[in-house]
Amino acid sequence: MRFAAGVDGGGTRTTVECRTMEGAALCREVFGPFNLNSVGEERFTALLEEIAAFLGKTGECAALCIGAAGVSNPRVRELTAQVMDGVCPWRLAGDHEIALHGAHSGGPGLALIAGTGSICCGKNERGEAVRAGGWGHLIDDGGSGYALGRDLLSAVVRQWDGRGEETVLTRLLLARLEIETPQELVAYVYGGDKSRVASLAPLAGQAAAQGDRTALDIYARNGAELGELVLAAAKRLGMETGEVALLGGLLTGDGCLREALTAWLAERAPGLRCIEPRQDAAAGAAMLALELAAEAGR
């Protein structure tokens, strides 16, 4: 059987979806993490070989689309070519590209993704595509898990200094980290990577549920940051109306942030409507693979 396959390569797992040439779902398989920097070249190549073997057992692969973060790394392309050249036509796509394609089943629309980082991408009726955000935590990523964690940490140290108002966040943070002094907090924050800060984001939700004004302000600010991403992408695409698919752990799991975002958009961009994604990123990659197969005449 001839089919097309899409790969959603993530930091913890990789999902492969195969579809018939008519677009019907055929099968799915889950593999290990798809991150060259984390696993190294040997394990990355082994993962690609596992995927190639799976495709070979499934049937005749007409095209393959691999979507993941970091695909702009030239070494990712080189290693992929070593394994996939000769297997089938293939292409690399950003993780936001396959997420957008799946969220709107290949049609026009916007996709807002908020997890550890944040980004909005979109495509209009003319097929024009743009992205806004996604510049990383040092200079961007408003509305992300990192931003929420950073903002609540800032609120705590401001209270300690006497620069900010009292906040429930201080008690929650000290209990979560099992610390008592500012020195211990500094050691925690600067003793690891950005995931340490992002992991604290749920504390903002706990404080907001208790009516903490500082936490509510943090959500309002970060909801606005996400809204600005959406509005920037929509304006560049000429989309005064349309659907915004909400993706990522924060927008699917943090009701406070989602409420802050939707309230901001309702006031400033009432023509844009937030929706659940129609399909996931693996499905989006598979649909892009079908398009590649059509272009290749296979």
Side-chain angles (χ1 to χ4, degrees), residues 15 56 92 107 110 131 143 170 173 211 215 226 235 253:
T15 303
L92 298 177
L110 297 156
R131 54 173 280 182
T170 301
L173 180 65
L226 293 176
K235 284 182 176 179

Side-chain angles (χ1 to χ4, degrees), residues 123-156:
K123 182 175 68 173
N124 60 21
E125 293 280 0
R126 298 183 297 277
E128 299 166 335
V130 303
R131 54 173 280 182
W135 298 105
H137 70 290
L138 292 179
I139 58 175
D140 197 28
D141 280 355
S144 67
Y146 178 86
L148 288 174
R150 178 202 60 212
D151 288 356
L152 72 86
L153 286 166
S154 177
V156 169

Side-chain angles (χ1 to χ4, degrees), residues 83-166:
V83 176
M84 295 300 176
D85 280 359
V87 174
C88 63
W90 57 274
R91 62 162 292 197
L92 298 177
D95 54 349
H96 61 284
E97 184 179 354
I98 62 173
L100 171 65
H101 210 73
H104 296 284
S105 294
L110 297 156
L112 177 65
I113 307 170
T116 302
S118 61
I119 187 172
C120 183
C121 51
K123 182 175 68 173
N124 60 21
E125 293 280 0
R126 298 183 297 277
E128 299 166 335
V130 303
R131 54 173 280 182
W135 298 105
H137 70 290
L138 292 179
I139 58 175
D140 197 28
D141 280 355
S144 67
Y146 178 86
L148 288 174
R150 178 202 60 212
D151 288 356
L152 72 86
L153 286 166
S154 177
V156 169
V157 298
R158 289 179 67 85
Q159 178 187 330
W160 278 344
D161 282 349
R163 292 180 289 152
E165 62 184 13
E166 290 191 9

Side-chain angles (χ1 to χ4, degrees), residues 51-275:
I51 294 172
F54 166 71
L55 298 178
K57 286 187 285 188
T58 303
E60 180 188 350
C61 185
L64 172 68
C65 175
I66 299 174
V71 292
S72 59
N73 181 342
R75 193 58 180 150
V76 171
R77 180 170 294 277
E78 293 167 4
L79 293 172
T80 302
Q82 290 175 16
V83 176
M84 295 300 176
D85 280 359
V87 174
C88 63
W90 57 274
R91 62 162 292 197
L92 298 177
D95 54 349
H96 61 284
E97 184 179 354
I98 62 173
L100 171 65
H101 210 73
H104 296 284
S105 294
L110 297 156
L112 177 65
I113 307 170
T116 302
S118 61
I119 187 172
C120 183
C121 51
K123 182 175 68 173
N124 60 21
E125 293 280 0
R126 298 183 297 277
E128 299 166 335
V130 303
R131 54 173 280 182
W135 298 105
H137 70 290
L138 292 179
I139 58 175
D140 197 28
D141 280 355
S144 67
Y146 178 86
L148 288 174
R150 178 202 60 212
D151 288 356
L152 72 86
L153 286 166
S154 177
V156 169
V157 298
R158 289 179 67 85
Q159 178 187 330
W160 278 344
D161 282 349
R163 292 180 289 152
E165 62 184 13
E166 290 191 9
T167 170
V168 173
L169 290 167
T170 301
R171 174 175 54 80
L172 294 175
L173 180 65
L174 296 181
R176 164 69 182 276
L177 299 183
E178 297 181 341
I179 63 174
E180 297 180 356
T181 68
Q183 290 76 19
E184 291 175 291
L185 180 60
V186 170
Y188 173 84
V189 171
Y190 295 101
D193 60 21
K194 65 179 181 179
S195 64
R196 282 195 173 188
V197 174
S199 70
L200 301 174
L203 299 180
Q206 295 176 32
Q210 298 179 41
D212 183 77
R213 187 169 64 182
T214 299
L216 292 170
D217 287 346
I218 288 173
Y219 275 116
R221 185 164 61 249
N222 281 277
E225 290 273 6
L226 293 176
E228 288 172 359
L229 290 179
V230 172
L231 196 55
K235 284 182 176 179
R236 289 164 60 196
L237 291 169
M239 295 175 63
E240 294 185 359
T241 62
E243 295 179 330
V244 185
L246 304 183
L247 300 94
L250 278 183
L251 290 175
T252 57
D254 191 324
C256 291
L257 184 62
R258 188 171 179 135
E259 289 175 10
L261 164 68
T262 54
W264 193 94
L265 286 176
E267 181 178 344
R268 293 166 178 80
L272 299 177
R273 182 170 63 92
C274 294
I275 65 165

